[in-house]
Amino acid sequence: MDTIKLPITMDNTYDNEDSELCNNCARRIDFPSVNKTGESLESFTVEITALKELKEHENVVKLLWWRLDATQAFIVLEAAEMDFYDHLAERETVLSQEEIFKFTSQLSRALHHIHSMGFVHGDVKLENMLLFPDDVVKLSDFGACCAPKNASFGR
């Protein structure tokens, strides 16, 4: 997975030359095997569809831009400080009860929103919980999710 910081403009394009001026940076995730296997293409399509449907929830990572053509496939997501696994690995102390409540409440709100929209995430783990400023947790990686029966996922 390739992660780079990119400034996002209003038309959802990015300009790598201005990366030092970036206030709204993003994380680009490449899918190098999408054009080689149908399974990767389906996972990519599921990810895009789910993120577009689940937009605008405070605990679901935002999709800023995506591209799929004959030569490349990638998504651009808002950039997190780190995933929750790394956050726990870097800590010198265990989480307090208050912190546990704060983080699990946010994860619960994300899952409630996802389920209320008819989706099932399918891969909830520490690496897919992203940590943002002010201890905001957002769920990411929707490539394994199951969708509502009326979603086409490009089929």
Side-chain angles (χ1 to χ4, degrees):
M1 215 182 321
D2 184 25
T3 302
I4 55 177
K5 295 250 179 177
L6 301 168
I8 303 298
T9 65
M10 292 304 286
D11 63 354
N12 286 334
T13 60
Y14 58 89
D15 180 1
N16 208 16
E17 293 176 14
D18 294 329
S19 60
E20 294 299 317
L21 305 174
C22 178
N23 290 328
N24 184 16
C25 289
R27 178 176 178 227
R28 173 178 162 153
I29 303 171
D30 287 299
F31 292 78
S33 62
V34 161
N35 295 316
K36 298 180 179 84
T37 68
E39 182 179 319
S40 295
L41 177 59
E42 183 170 351
S43 176
F44 181 82
T45 306
V46 166
E47 179 106 16
I48 298 302
T49 303
L51 286 169
K52 286 168 65 175
E53 292 292 320
L54 297 169
K55 63 184 175 189
E56 303 307 319
H57 188 274
E58 63 191 0
N59 300 112
V60 174
V61 70
K62 288 179 181 50
L63 173 68
L64 300 175
W65 199 57
W66 61 277
R67 182 176 187 117
L68 174 63
D69 62 29
T71 61
Q72 58 185 335
F74 63 85
I75 60 176
V76 178
L77 305 173
E78 64 182 319
E81 293 176 347
M82 66 181 66
D83 66 44
F84 211 73
Y85 181 88
D86 290 339
H87 173 68
L88 293 176
E90 288 183 4
R91 288 180 63 101
E92 295 181 12
T93 61
V94 297
L95 294 173
S96 68
Q97 280 188 317
E98 292 80 17
E99 289 172 310
I100 292 169
F101 179 77
K102 176 174 47 177
F103 294 131
T104 56
S105 295
Q106 291 179 65
L107 178 60
S108 294
R109 285 193 297 273
L111 290 171
H112 179 266
H113 174 67
I114 292 164
H115 296 167
S116 72
M117 299 292 289
F119 289 89
V120 175
H121 186 276
D123 193 21
V124 177
K125 59 185 179 183
L126 294 175
E127 292 87 343
N128 291 337
M129 295 169 54
L130 303 181
L131 190 60
F132 286 80
D134 298 322
D135 287 340
V136 172
V137 171
K138 297 187 181 192
L139 199 53
S140 69
D141 193 353
F142 289 84
C145 81
C146 298
K149 294 186 190 274
N150 61 349
S152 67
F153 283 153
R155 291 182 205 144

